[in-house]
Amino acid sequence: MRAVIREIIETIILSLLLFVGIQFAVQTYQVEGASMRPTLSPGQYLLVNKIVYRHLNIDSGAEGAVRSGEFTEDSPIFPFHPPQPGEVVIFNFPNDPSRDFVKRVIGIPGDTVEIRDGHTFVNGEQIQEDYAQLDDFDEMEPLKVPPNAYFVLGDNRRHSNDSRDWGTVPLEFIVGRAWVRYWPPHQIRLFPTEHPFSTPTEASVEQP
């Protein structure tokens, strides 16, 4: 009888550890709003990878490195990798951290982002955004992304409240990367990790 009780207790403890581990690594979000159309639509559900951007902060009083992959002693240390251009991320809205937004990373620390006639330029090069619904009249003066921050845009540019309106997202506000769109079942999608855009010369989450 004791052996049975011990086995039950061990099973319960193991189940709790697995539950806590999964909650630490993955979180479920429901999409609200239309700012990420056509990539994401209202009512869809996402699994978000919360581990991929985990990092250690090392601060010696100086500014961090400005480019992803160029690390100094003041840069955050990423066991995996920092947010990359083109990745769809979930973050706490900087102006109200109680709200979660979903957008796409366009500029990383050190990049200069500009919008002309609805077209996005990063470091002077126009990027090809086949995933986006662009606004042909959109304009934005060049903005240099500061250290440990990211410039994000919604894919549905005419209906997105994003870095054009309130600035960049601090690294500390980013929750994780969209991993799988799992609901509804006929719209299941695994989000790619490769760079989703290139220059033309080369071949409950809110969406306010």
Side-chain angles (χ1 to χ4, degrees), residues 27-48 88-90 100-103 154-156 159 178-184 187 189 191 204-208:
Q27 189 165 342
T28 300
Y29 287 88
Q30 183 180 19
V31 178
E32 299 177 5
S35 77
M36 281 297 289
R37 279 179 169 165
T39 306
L40 294 170
S41 298
Q44 294 177 335
Y45 283 83
L46 301 174
L47 287 179
V48 175
V88 177
V89 298
I90 286 74
D100 296 320
F101 282 8
V102 56
K103 306 292 178 185
D155 288 355
N156 187 1
H159 302 282
W179 180 30
V180 180
R181 183 179 64 202
Y182 70 91
W183 191 267
Q187 295 178 343
R189 174 189 174 183
F191 284 86
S204 149
V205 181
E206 295 185 52
Q207 302 182 65

Side-chain angles (χ1 to χ4, degrees), residues 165-179:
D165 305 293
W166 36 258
T168 56
V169 180
L171 173 62
E172 298 300 325
F173 284 72
I174 297 180
V175 175
R177 176 173 62 82
W179 180 30

Side-chain angles (χ1 to χ4, degrees), residues 11 16 25 30 36 62 65 70 87 97 111 135 144 155 180 192 199:
T11 301
L16 289 174
Q30 183 180 19
M36 281 297 289
E70 296 181 7
E87 291 183 334
D111 282 344
D135 182 348
K144 185 170 183 178
D155 288 355
V180 180
T199 61

Side-chain angles (χ1 to χ4, degrees), residues 32-197:
E32 299 177 5
S35 77
M36 281 297 289
R37 279 179 169 165
T39 306
L40 294 170
S41 298
Q44 294 177 335
Y45 283 83
L46 301 174
L47 287 179
V48 175
N49 184 333
K50 296 168 59 179
I51 290 182
V52 65
Y53 301 145
R54 294 284 180 181
H55 59 280
L56 300 175
N57 289 317
I58 299 178
D59 184 8
S60 64
E63 290 188 344
V66 297
R67 290 293 301 174
S68 174
E70 296 181 7
F71 298 103
T72 71
E73 62 181 4
D74 305 301
S75 303
I77 296 176
F78 293 87
F80 299 101
H81 66 78
Q84 300 294 309
E87 291 183 334
V88 177
V89 298
I90 286 74
F91 57 92
N92 305 133
F93 180 37
N95 293 345
D96 182 0
S98 67
R99 302 168 67 189
D100 296 320
F101 282 8
V102 56
K103 306 292 178 185
R104 190 182 297 272
V105 175
I106 301 297
I108 62 176
D111 282 344
T112 297
V113 182
E114 180 182 5
I115 301 176
R116 305 178 218 151
D117 297 324
H119 299 289
T120 306
F121 294 76
V122 178
N123 300 324
E125 296 288 337
Q126 182 182 340
I127 59 175
Q128 187 69 38
E129 300 182 274
D130 296 332
Y131 53 79
Q133 296 179 351
L134 303 178
D135 182 348
D136 295 339
F137 303 102
D138 198 15
E139 297 279 345
M140 189 189 79
E141 293 294 320
L143 181 151
K144 185 170 183 178
V145 183
N148 300 326
Y150 296 84
F151 186 94
V152 299
L153 293 174
D155 288 355
N156 187 1
R157 297 292 156 78
R158 291 189 181 184
H159 302 282
S160 177
N161 179 16
D162 47 42
S163 288
R164 297 169 296 176
D165 305 293
W166 36 258
T168 56
V169 180
L171 173 62
E172 298 300 325
F173 284 72
I174 297 180
V175 175
R177 176 173 62 82
W179 180 30
V180 180
R181 183 179 64 202
Y182 70 91
W183 191 267
H186 67 280
Q187 295 178 343
I188 290 176
R189 174 189 174 183
L190 179 66
F191 284 86
T193 56
E194 69 271 11
H195 205 302
F197 54 64

